[in-house]
Amino acid sequence: MSGQSLLVPGEITPVRSVPGRIRRPEYVGKPAPTPYTGPEVQDHDTLERMRVAGRIAAQAMEEAAKHIAPGVTTDELDRVAHEFMVDHGAYPSTLGYRGFPKSLCTSLNEVICHGIPDSTVLRDGDIVNLDVTAYIDGVHGDNNATYLCGEVDEESRLLVERTRESLNRAIKAVRPGRQINVIGRVIESYAKRFGYGVVRDFTGHGINSSFHSGLIIPHYDSPHATTVMQPGMTFTIEPMLTLGTHDYDMWDDGWTVVTKDRKRTAQFEHTLVVTETGAEILTLP
């Protein structure tokens, strides 16, 4: 495993501005979003708008990923994604969500999720997760991926590759009429082959006009996830696999989640809609 030193919080730069012409989600400037009470199954018009939001989110993530290299700060990755979304008329969904101060999440090495971009400098051998969500025309598109920075050790590289594969397998398991728990069953059974931990307390979620609708998508085989998938239902799948325990600690910032044993972790995510025969990925660049 990599001999990198553990991460410590860096300095956070001031909040980036968004032109007034760009529509904000309703939660911006509020302590929390208004609870979603709408349907999990979306109509044709909503899905068309979600395809646009998903494409912008995927392109923004792709653009930021081009700048991953030793010596680059995570704040610089935030700047690139922020400017891309704004230039395309989208609002960065994380900016101001429950007070989150940045336009994407950057989660390195032992950070499971929700890392805040700051003055942290990427190092050769890091693995870097970018989590980007775009809001445009009243809907969100959410995706993330883990990237290699420079020369990464084999154990970490395989973790990243297999986490991506766990997402791909989970997407293939989506079918109308099946219960949501088939998703976690597929991910967990695959991860166990390699002795990986599967994070349980952070999950996929329903998404539409709401960033998080209330629908929960566990990445382990949960007996409680009995909701039946229906055509038109939209949600994310975003498995987080670890080299050790799935238990975690949280930094004092109230956001950054790290593995309790400080071993590395990787994550991948797409926003999907259930179709008549399977799933369509809405976050493709």
Side-chain angles (χ1 to χ4, degrees):
M1 177 175 174
S2 168
Q4 298 278 42
S5 59
L6 298 178
L7 294 164
V8 295
E11 294 295 319
I12 299 175
T13 58
V15 173
R16 302 187 195 281
S17 63
V18 178
R21 60 181 166 78
I22 294 178
R23 178 178 171 184
R24 273 83 169 141
E26 59 82 24
Y27 51 75
V28 174
K30 295 163 54 177
T34 302
Y36 179 71
T37 56
E40 298 296 346
V41 172
Q42 306 308 310
D43 60 25
H44 175 79
D45 173 66
T46 303
L47 291 175
E48 283 299 303
R49 289 183 284 128
M50 288 185 69
R51 288 184 181 96
V52 173
R55 184 168 62 250
I56 292 172
Q59 290 172 339
M61 184 175 73
E62 200 173 58
E63 193 62 33
K66 292 176 184 175
H67 293 75
I68 291 174
V72 174
T73 65
T74 55
D75 186 68
E76 174 64 8
L77 303 179
D78 180 78
R79 182 194 65 80
V80 173
H82 177 94
E83 292 182 359
F84 186 95
M85 285 185 272
V86 167
D87 287 348
H88 288 77
Y91 186 92
S93 300
T94 60
L95 186 61
Y97 179 78
R98 297 183 181 270
F100 192 84
K102 290 295 174 181
S103 298
L104 82 166
C105 300
T106 49
S107 301
L108 280 56
N109 301 338
E110 71 268 21
V111 179
I112 294 171
C113 57
H114 304 159
I116 301 174
D118 59 18
S119 61
T120 298
V121 175
L122 300 182
R123 302 164 297 181
D124 186 62
D126 283 341
I127 60 173
V128 184
N129 180 270
L130 302 182
D131 193 337
V132 181
T133 310
Y135 177 80
I136 189 170
D137 205 9
V139 296
H140 301 268
D142 185 4
N143 68 163
N144 77 55
T146 303
Y147 300 90
L148 310 182
C149 181
E151 294 296 319
V152 174
D153 68 275
E154 180 72 358
E155 186 179 38
S156 299
R157 188 190 64 77
L158 285 172
L159 173 69
V160 171
E161 180 182 300
R162 290 164 176 167
T163 305
R164 181 192 291 112
E165 176 63 15
S166 76
L167 173 60
N168 292 339
R169 289 176 180 232
I171 292 170
K172 289 175 183 174
V174 172
R175 290 283 189 284
R178 290 181 175 176
Q179 293 184 345
I180 289 291
N181 57 16
V182 70
I183 293 169
R185 191 174 308 134
V186 166
I187 292 167
E188 188 172 41
S189 64
Y190 179 71
K192 279 183 174 178
R193 287 168 49 182
F194 310 104
Y196 295 155
V198 181
V199 172
R200 301 167 81 88
D201 289 354
F202 300 90
T203 67
H205 52 89
I207 184 170
N208 36 67
S209 60
S210 172
F211 194 172
H212 300 88
S213 73
L215 176 67
I216 301 298
I217 313 295
H219 302 121
Y220 63 97
D221 187 3
S222 169
H224 306 295
T226 55
T227 300
V228 174
M229 291 182 267
Q230 305 173 57
M233 187 179 284
T234 49
F235 52 80
T236 71
I237 303 176
E238 43 188 300
M240 292 151 263
L241 305 187
T242 68
L243 289 176
T245 181
H246 63 74
D247 291 330
Y248 67 91
D249 293 319
M250 187 175 288
W251 283 4
D252 291 343
D253 61 22
W255 284 104
T256 307
V257 179
V258 295
T259 54
K260 186 169 279 293
D261 57 14
R262 303 304 190 265
K263 291 186 177 181
R264 287 190 166 189
T265 175
Q267 181 183 17
F268 284 83
E269 172 187 21
H270 276 304
T271 296
L272 314 168
V273 58
V274 181
T275 67
E276 295 291 345
T277 58
E280 175 192 347
I281 298 173
L282 299 178
T283 39
L284 292 175

